[in-house]
Amino acid sequence: MSKSTTTTTTTTETTAETEAHDLGEAGSQLSTAPREETAVGGPALGVVGWIRWFWRQLTSMRVALILLFLLSLGAIPGSLIPQTGADELKVQNFKRAHETLTPLYERLQLFDVYSSVWFSAIYILLFVSLIGCIVPRTGQFVGQLRGLPPGAPGRLTRLPAYTTWRTEAEPEHVRDAALAVLKGRRFRAHTVKDAVAAEKGYLREAGNLLFHIALIVMLVAFAWGQLFKSEGGKLIIEGDGFSNTLTQYDDFKSGSLYSTDDLAPFSFQLDSFTGTYEKTGPQRGTPRTFEAAVTYSEAGRADKKAVIRVNEPLKVGGSKVYLIAHGYAPVVTVKDGRGKVVFHGAVPLLPFDNNITSTGAIKVMDGYRDKNGKKEQLGFQAFFVPTFAGAGKGDMFSQFPALDFPVMALTGFHGDLRVDSGLPQNVYQLDKSKMTQFKDKHGNKLAQRMLPGETMTLPDGAGSITFEKDIKEWASFQVSQQPGNGLALAGAIAAIAGLSGSLFIQRRRVWVRAVRGEDGVTVVEMAGLGRSESAKLPEELADLALTLHAQAPTAPEPARDPAAEPAEEPAEADPAEAEGAEK
């Protein structure tokens, strides 16, 4: 194709949408987005008119994006402010620490963001908006897929990308060749009168619809997960077990539509916990091995062995068992004044720093009698460090998480633990309101720092407590059921795929017209129209034109007839030049 006979023009003054609006059927339906129409100075809308107007606004993509943005903003307080459904204890601590903000937060429902009225309203409006957007557009898109590309407009020169040349090939041959070329490039093409109409890029609109359908799927998955989820925590000492029943949990939360009858029938036992830590360098104390070996069983099945690690949960019975915490449980033996064992067992203590410095309470509630035979209760405040720094080397805080030099400090009390008062009580704390601290023979408060195997004797024949050499470890597990996770993952993948298609695929149309000119030579015109302006459309049209030009090459220029051309008149001489010639 020669430069003199082939020209490609692009129009930048107007957008492709304006061009499409002016080209009638040829430029219509490049998108299924509804065209917004506004009437200025028209008659009053009335009730029905206002309802229709509100519905059009609600189901527009602009409003859907605004609602999605508001939903994202609304989720921010839920991640910054403690939520009642996640951790009620943190909520109570926050309220005590922020007495001024608490009334305002309660009025705005910021402690229950995801179940608040305003968050639910945004959520429902977004759901309705997306459905209102997608349903009509899906119907239009299906209609476009079942139809054929529209015929060529009367003047192809008005399109953003255009080229033309003259050829000696017959118009029918050019149209057949164009049809084959376009179909070979995966265009949907057919012949309409004197032109071939083709269209490509339907996956752009399909991706757009898939993206918005995926958003609905994710919203449904989120709602499903919130309504039918369950989540419970359990602290287990080595050698102990757990059965998935409501009474076995230390704490349990569930969605409003969840039934405890849906708890999967399974159980497991903590065989051992293994934790190793970096011993030197800047990462000293960082966990290297953090795993729990368990034996689990489902109803009607044989026992199986498994290892639970951080981010590697045990999947059993439709539930996931996560390892979330670890600590130590020193074994103690408490005897009364007559030498009778009234308590023996491992007592889990809660760590409060990275080196597992731990604290807790030992409670002897039944079976103990004082030297006079009167029933009484004992309580010991315990402070435990797995690696003690040594006497005279600062406060009693652990220097390393491993059991290198375990030490436990005990303070004893006797009286009423108030466990029978009917009020809930923290098992890791002592209620000392009805308790009296033991005192030694000098009248000082009784407290002792103990090594494994040592015994603290209580005054006045009250008995003793022994810190046994056996120190067990405990692990805290979270058992959760999230029925909407798989659906949410599928929706997220579909949303990414749909968004990629809508961003990187261009919907465009190409027309090839071949007609015989007045001089008997075929005139070929090619033009393209896209949904939006892109440099790729002229490039693609030029590539198609080159391919078609190889089958319908440019006709040679007709020879000139000198007799038919008028003779050139001699040019008048310049007087200045004549004078110079004479000189």
Side-chain angles (χ1 to χ4, degrees):
M1 190 186 310
S2 63
K3 181 177 180 181
S4 60
T5 57
T6 304
T7 58
T8 302
T9 61
T10 58
T11 304
T12 58
E13 290 81 3
T14 58
T15 63
E17 286 78 2
T18 304
E19 292 286 350
H21 180 71
D22 296 337
L23 292 171
E25 183 182 358
S28 65
Q29 295 184 342
L30 270 173
S31 170
T32 57
R35 185 173 297 168
E36 296 186 4
E37 299 178 358
T38 57
V40 180
L45 293 176
V47 177
V48 177
W50 278 109
I51 293 175
R52 289 178 178 174
W53 177 86
F54 177 77
W55 176 253
R56 290 193 190 101
Q57 299 302 313
L58 179 61
T59 56
S60 66
M61 282 298 173
R62 183 190 303 109
V63 173
L65 291 174
I66 292 174
L67 290 173
L68 186 61
F69 178 69
L70 291 177
L71 193 70
S72 302
L73 288 180
I76 293 176
S79 60
L80 299 179
I81 301 173
Q83 299 296 294
T84 303
D87 195 331
E88 191 169 356
L89 181 60
K90 284 187 177 180
V91 173
Q92 298 299 327
N93 293 335
F94 184 90
K95 290 181 177 180
R96 285 193 292 267
H98 304 84
E99 296 181 355
T100 304
L101 290 176
T102 295
L104 177 62
Y105 282 10
E106 289 179 339
R107 196 172 295 113
L108 296 176
Q109 298 179 302
L110 295 183
F111 296 114
D112 300 278
V113 168
Y114 303 112
S115 60
S116 63
V117 174
W118 55 269
F119 190 86
S120 301
I122 298 173
Y123 190 90
I124 295 172
L125 285 175
L126 176 60
F127 194 82
V128 173
S129 177
L130 288 173
I131 293 178
C133 289
I134 291 171
V135 171
R137 294 184 67 166
T138 302
Q140 294 177 26
F141 183 60
V142 171
Q144 292 179 18
L145 291 178
R146 297 176 62 183
L148 294 173
R155 295 172 56 188
L156 292 178
T157 55
R158 301 171 58 189
L159 298 182
Y162 173 82
T163 185
T164 182
W165 72 93
R166 293 156 53 87
T167 181
E168 292 180 341
E170 295 296 324
E172 294 79 6
H173 171 74
V174 175
R175 289 193 288 268
D176 292 342
L179 187 63
V181 169
L182 290 169
K183 287 186 175 180
R185 300 292 182 90
R186 298 191 302 276
F187 279 83
R188 294 179 61 196
H190 69 119
T191 303
V192 184
K193 297 181 181 179
D194 60 353
V196 176
E199 188 167 359
K200 190 178 182 181
Y202 289 91
L203 286 179
R204 177 188 179 94
E205 191 62 30
N208 192 14
L209 292 174
L210 177 63
F211 172 73
H212 291 90
I213 292 173
L215 288 181
I216 293 181
V217 171
M218 293 172 67
L219 290 175
V220 171
F222 177 77
W224 185 270
Q226 290 297 314
L227 292 174
F228 293 95
K229 73 174 182 178
S230 69
E231 187 176 278
K234 179 64 178 179
L235 186 149
I236 304 176
I237 302 173
E238 287 177 324
D240 291 348
F242 165 79
S243 180
N244 193 29
T245 58
L246 187 61
T247 56
Q248 288 277 300
Y249 283 99
D250 295 331
D251 59 86
F252 185 83
K253 302 184 293 293
S254 64
S256 56
L257 298 182
Y258 183 83
S259 173
T260 54
D261 296 334
D262 297 330
L263 287 170
F266 71 89
S267 61
F268 68 90
Q269 175 181 303
L270 176 61
D271 298 329
S272 63
F273 180 88
T274 303
T276 60
Y277 309 90
E278 187 68 36
K279 293 184 176 297
T280 59
Q283 299 294 323
R284 185 177 187 273
T286 303
R288 294 305 180 203
T289 304
F290 204 76
E291 58 187 31
V294 299
T295 301
Y296 71 97
S297 63
E298 299 180 71
R301 298 186 181 181
D303 292 353
K304 296 181 180 179
K305 298 285 186 178
V307 176
I308 305 176
R309 301 180 179 89
V310 177
N311 297 326
E312 295 182 19
L314 171 66
K315 300 177 182 179
V316 53
S319 300
K320 291 184 178 181
V321 182
Y322 294 89
L323 174 63
I324 59 175
H326 155 257
Y328 294 104
V331 178
V332 298
T333 300
V334 180
K335 298 179 180 179
D336 62 10
R338 294 171 295 178
K340 177 184 176 182
V341 176
V342 293
F343 179 85
H344 175 79
V347 182
L349 304 178
L350 295 182
F352 59 84
D353 64 13
N354 293 332
N355 288 324
I356 317 185
T357 304
S358 307
T359 184
I362 302 171
K363 300 180 182 182
V364 181
M365 295 174 285
D366 300 311
Y368 176 78
R369 295 177 182 270
D370 61 11
K371 63 179 180 179
N372 299 321
K374 180 182 177 181
K375 289 184 176 182
E376 201 173 26
Q377 294 176 333
L378 298 179
F380 298 89
Q381 190 73 50
F383 198 87
F384 176 81
V385 291
T387 302
F388 184 47
K393 294 184 180 180
D395 296 331
M396 188 173 170
F397 284 93
S398 179
Q399 305 301 305
F400 193 70
L403 288 172
D404 293 343
F405 186 12
V407 172
M408 182 169 61
L410 292 177
T411 304
F413 299 84
H414 63 97
D416 183 7
L417 292 171
R418 296 182 60 80
V419 294
D420 301 323
S421 63
L423 298 176
Q425 192 177 97
N426 192 329
V427 296
Y428 303 103
Q429 294 179 352
L430 284 178
D431 183 351
K432 303 174 185 176
S433 59
K434 298 293 183 179
M435 303 287 288
T436 302
Q437 186 170 357
F438 284 110
K439 295 183 179 181
D440 58 18
K441 59 183 179 179
H442 303 292
N444 299 321
K445 294 180 179 180
L446 182 65
Q448 183 175 333
R449 185 183 296 163
M450 305 169 61
L451 296 174
E454 292 185 347
T455 299
M456 181 174 72
T457 303
L458 302 178
D460 299 328
S464 65
I465 179 170
T466 302
F467 177 19
E468 304 290 350
K469 294 183 178 181
D470 183 19
I471 301 176
K472 294 187 177 182
E473 300 188 49
W474 60 261
S476 181
F477 299 92
Q478 177 180 290
V479 182
S480 64
Q481 284 183 307
Q482 297 287 347
N485 283 355
L487 191 62
L489 177 61
I493 295 174
I496 294 173
L499 185 61
S500 300
S502 64
L503 290 177
F504 299 110
I505 298 176
Q506 184 184 19
R507 183 91 172 267
R508 66 270 195 200
R509 289 173 181 162
V510 173
W511 293 275
V512 181
R513 173 175 286 143
V515 295
R516 195 177 299 280
E518 295 179 358
D519 56 356
V521 180
T522 301
V523 178
V524 182
E525 291 182 292
M526 293 186 68
L529 177 66
R531 180 179 173 183
S532 58
E533 290 185 2
S534 172
K536 293 183 179 181
L537 179 61
E539 294 174 1
E540 184 176 31
L541 186 69
D543 187 32
L544 291 170
L546 286 171
T547 305
L548 182 59
H549 184 266
Q551 302 183 44
T554 302
E557 293 288 344
R560 295 185 178 182
D561 186 0
E565 296 181 1
E568 295 183 0
E569 297 182 0
E572 296 182 359
D574 190 348
E577 291 182 359
E579 183 181 355
E582 291 178 358
K583 293 181 180 180

